[in-house]
């Protein structure tokens, strides 16, 4: 595997039709690199949840994926309102999703909990009124 490969994905805010494209692409790239299927699954789930959160809550942004020889780092940066209570946002079932998102089957409050579950490390930096950065680390061994 390459020592470092960087992939960047713009995420269109409130566009549910394109959400999921980045996770599909990442899954394809990881397969081509020969990453183990269980690691690909963790990465794809984490990536998808991050994309959906960026669409629903972040008003758009970007995902930057860096593939190192031993780990995968996924960083989501959004332009949203920020998270006033990160601890509360991490609780399974807690959601601030819009009615539109819920009608489409999103907004169950499992995005951040699933990202934590399927990654080896998760950190969240958020400033109310300025947006949120979520960083995930997934070990490749």
């Amino acid at each position: 595997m390459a020592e470092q490969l960087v992939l960047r994905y713009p995420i269109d805010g409130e566009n549910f039709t394109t959400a999921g494209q980045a996770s599909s692409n990442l899954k394809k790239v990881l397969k081509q690199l020969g990453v183990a299927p269980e690691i690909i699954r963790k990465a794809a789930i984490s990536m998808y949840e991050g994309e959906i959160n960026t669409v629903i809550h972040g008003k758009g942004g970007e995902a930057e994926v860096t593939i190192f020889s031993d780990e995968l780092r996924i960083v989501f940066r959004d332009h949203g309102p920020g998270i006033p209570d990160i601890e509360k946002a991490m609780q399974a079932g807690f959601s601030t999703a819009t009615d539109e998102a819920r009608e489409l089957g999103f907004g169950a409050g499992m995005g951040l909990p699933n990202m934590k579950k399927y990654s080896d490390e998760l950190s969240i930096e958020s400033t109310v009124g300025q947006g949120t950065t979520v960083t995930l680390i997934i070990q490749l061994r």
Side-chain angles (χ1 to χ4, degrees):
M1 189 177 327
E3 185 59 31
Q4 183 178 332
L5 174 64
V6 179
L7 307 169
R8 286 187 178 81
Y9 302 99
I11 300 172
D12 188 11
E14 300 178 27
N15 185 345
F16 293 97
T17 58
T18 59
Q21 290 179 352
S23 56
S24 293
N25 181 268
L26 177 60
K27 190 174 173 181
K28 195 180 307 177
V29 169
L30 293 175
K31 275 184 184 174
Q32 290 170 346
L33 293 172
V35 172
E38 63 273 12
I39 304 294
I40 294 173
R41 181 174 176 273
K42 287 172 63 171
I45 291 169
S46 297
M47 185 74 179
Y48 181 77
E49 294 287 12
E51 278 182 88
I52 293 299
N53 274 2
T54 304
V55 170
I56 293 174
H57 307 288
K59 310 293 184 233
E62 72 161 3
E64 181 179 285
V65 180
T66 307
I67 304 168
F68 297 95
S69 59
D70 60 342
E71 72 179 27
L72 179 68
R73 182 178 301 133
I74 304 171
V75 180
F76 293 96
R77 292 179 190 88
D78 72 36
H79 314 300
I83 304 172
D85 187 340
I86 292 173
E87 193 175 313
K88 193 171 190 178
M90 290 300 298
Q91 293 174 7
F94 176 78
S95 179
T96 58
T98 63
D99 289 340
E100 178 197 7
R102 291 175 198 272
E103 286 168 13
L104 293 170
F106 302 105
M110 292 306 296
L112 289 173
N114 278 338
M115 291 166 77
K116 182 175 175 64
K117 178 180 177 179
Y118 291 105
S119 65
D120 296 301
E121 292 176 42
L122 173 128
S123 67
I124 302 171
E125 295 173 31
S126 189
T127 304
V128 174
Q130 294 182 14
T132 301
T133 299
V134 177
T135 303
L136 303 164
I137 304 290
I138 298 171
Q139 298 301 321
L140 292 179
R141 48 178 143 57

